[in-house]
Amino acid sequence: MGSGAYETPAFGGKLRVNGRVFDDNYRYNELNWLKFPVTGLESSNDRQDRFQTEVGANFKRELGARNNLELLLLHQTEDYSYGSRFRSTPTDFDFKLGKDISETIGRGVFKFRQSETLSWEAGAEAALNKLESKTAFSQDGVAIPLPASNVTVEEKRGEIFVKAVWRPTKTWTVEGSVREEGSAISSDGDVSLEKTLYYTKPRVAATWAPSANTQVRLRFERVVGQLDFDDFVATSSLGTGVITAGNPDLVPEQAWVSEAAIEQRFWTKGAAVLTLRHFALTDAIDRAPVFGPSGAFDAPSNIGDGTKDELQVTLTLPLDRFIPGAQLRGDSTWRRSEVTDPTTGAKREISGLRPLDWEAHFSQDLPQWRATWGVDAFGAWRETYYRFDQISTDKLKTYVTLFAEWKPKPDLLVRAEIQNATARGFRHTRQLYSGPRGANPLTAIDDRDIQVGRVFYVRVRKSFG
């Protein structure tokens, strides 16, 4: 992995050029000895190779006392290959995926400050995204066709916008904007299609600060998600028994978002923020069955309307008055969602959406010893995926890290950590049905409880020059 950047005066402004190269290779092998109901041996072998490049340029220039111009150009590529093999007497599954992805983005923004209380922005963005993928899947040496296994997808997307920020009083700030987005998507190969999409995205936000320590924020806008090219191609996780078909005919998920937040500052460095959000979803992206020559497969699909609600609490609590140099930070988000299951027609939560996320961080500075110590805790979470013939649930227990840093000299830092101090584990549970859920019985439950040990970590960093 390598990255670099260079900045220089140019054309009356500042030009910054950056580049990045990233190479990642991953191998995973697993053996399972089965004792009940019959003895046997299962093996899983996975490999993943990813090579990414990025080249970008950013130009900024002041155009007089009240005007500003910013231009951005970015080009990214990714060469990705994945292979997975699962063997369990007498069955042998083999899956291979290769894909090339590229994205080119150009953006320009012009800013104009009309007065001390009113400012404007206008801009445009153009993007070209390309994906070429090839997938192969076989069982016992016999090739099994998958929907959208070999496709070439291209997306041309453009957006224009105008934005205004108005400060009518010292305590009020009002922001309004509108964006118009258009995209043309084409696909060749197993799935041939062409479509053009247009979306208007208005936004209005207001901030009221009745005092220096209190702020109330309101927001209402239409959000349109970006399509994930990974959803366009077939994928596999043979170790967990999941084959996912691709779906190039997806459209972006849309949502009308309402948000209210209140922030209260206290004790000089302390702050508490309470935020409520409601999402009214259209064309929600979730899991649904698709049917190909060799049967039904799970696939990402637009499944209709839905809702999502979030309650987020963020806290920064200085503890100096109780423990010198100590601070506690925390963040927690509760989520509730509802969509219609395309397989059963029943209401359920959104696949993969965690009902609860939380984390807490305690630290204490010890300047007399030139040291810092603390505890980081990342809360347990659950993710459930509703596939057409199974329900899979992943659970991860609370993860705790103890750390200590010592800086004996200005140019020398020593850090020690005990990662996963609670030796938390990971649990993967699958409820398997003989066919589409709701019309077929539950035939098996695959429950894997994996225990992971502690990790001891020491880093020494020396600065030169």
Side-chain angles (χ1 to χ4, degrees), residues 203-219:
R203 181 181 192 272
V204 61
T207 301
W208 176 48
S211 69
N213 294 324
T214 304
Q215 190 177 92
V216 179
R217 297 186 289 270
L218 302 172
R219 174 173 67 101

Side-chain angles (χ1 to χ4, degrees), residues 111-161:
K111 300 179 182 180
F112 170 61
R113 190 175 72 253
Q114 182 173 335
S115 66
E116 293 297 324
T117 60
L118 182 62
S119 61
W120 300 83
E121 288 185 20
E125 178 178 295
L128 175 62
N129 298 314
K130 292 184 178 181
L131 164 70
E132 295 182 8
S133 73
K134 292 185 178 181
T135 306
F137 176 56
S138 65
Q139 179 177 348
D140 301 328
V142 179
I144 298 178
L146 297 176
S149 59
N150 297 288
V151 294
T152 299
V153 182
E154 181 177 275
E155 179 192 26
K156 298 176 181 177
R157 177 169 46 85
E159 181 180 85
I160 58 174
F161 76 91

Side-chain angles (χ1 to χ4, degrees), residues 66-70 109-113 120-122:
R66 297 188 295 176
N67 303 324
N68 178 272
L69 177 66
E70 182 174 350
V109 179
F110 176 76
K111 300 179 182 180
F112 170 61
R113 190 175 72 253
W120 300 83
E121 288 185 20

Side-chain angles (χ1 to χ4, degrees), residues 33-225:
W33 283 267
L34 307 180
K35 296 182 179 180
F36 180 84
V38 294
T39 59
L41 178 66
E42 291 181 350
S43 67
S44 298
N45 305 96
D46 295 302
R47 62 167 181 81
Q48 177 179 280
D49 298 302
R50 188 190 308 269
F51 181 74
Q52 297 175 330
T53 67
E54 177 182 308
V55 178
N58 183 270
F59 175 73
K60 294 181 180 180
R61 181 180 176 181
E62 301 288 340
L63 303 175
R66 297 188 295 176
N67 303 324
N68 178 272
L69 177 66
E70 182 174 350
L71 302 175
L72 172 70
L73 183 63
L74 181 66
H75 180 68
Q76 297 175 316
T77 67
E78 179 176 326
D79 183 8
Y80 177 86
S81 66
Y82 172 76
S84 180
R85 188 173 184 182
F86 177 79
R87 284 169 286 185
S88 177
T89 306
T91 305
D92 188 347
F93 294 100
D94 192 20
F95 179 88
K96 295 178 181 178
L97 167 64
K99 59 184 179 181
D100 293 320
I101 302 173
S102 67
E103 180 180 41
T104 304
I105 299 175
R107 181 188 305 128
V109 179
F110 176 76
K111 300 179 182 180
F112 170 61
R113 190 175 72 253
Q114 182 173 335
S115 66
E116 293 297 324
T117 60
L118 182 62
S119 61
W120 300 83
E121 288 185 20
E125 178 178 295
L128 175 62
N129 298 314
K130 292 184 178 181
L131 164 70
E132 295 182 8
S133 73
K134 292 185 178 181
T135 306
F137 176 56
S138 65
Q139 179 177 348
D140 301 328
V142 179
I144 298 178
L146 297 176
S149 59
N150 297 288
V151 294
T152 299
V153 182
E154 181 177 275
E155 179 192 26
K156 298 176 181 177
R157 177 169 46 85
E159 181 180 85
I160 58 174
F161 76 91
V162 61
K163 171 183 172 182
V165 179
W166 179 42
R167 297 178 177 84
T169 69
K170 293 182 178 180
T171 59
W172 279 95
T173 301
V174 181
E175 176 190 323
S177 66
V178 62
R179 296 174 179 266
E180 185 68 26
E181 176 186 307
S183 60
I185 301 174
S186 62
S187 173
D188 295 317
D190 293 349
V191 180
S192 296
L193 61 86
E194 291 185 5
K195 59 185 175 183
T196 304
L197 305 171
Y198 294 98
Y199 298 101
T200 301
K201 301 181 289 185
R203 181 181 192 272
V204 61
T207 301
W208 176 48
S211 69
N213 294 324
T214 304
Q215 190 177 92
V216 179
R217 297 186 289 270
L218 302 172
R219 174 173 67 101
F220 182 69
E221 70 173 311
R222 189 189 190 199
V223 176
V224 178

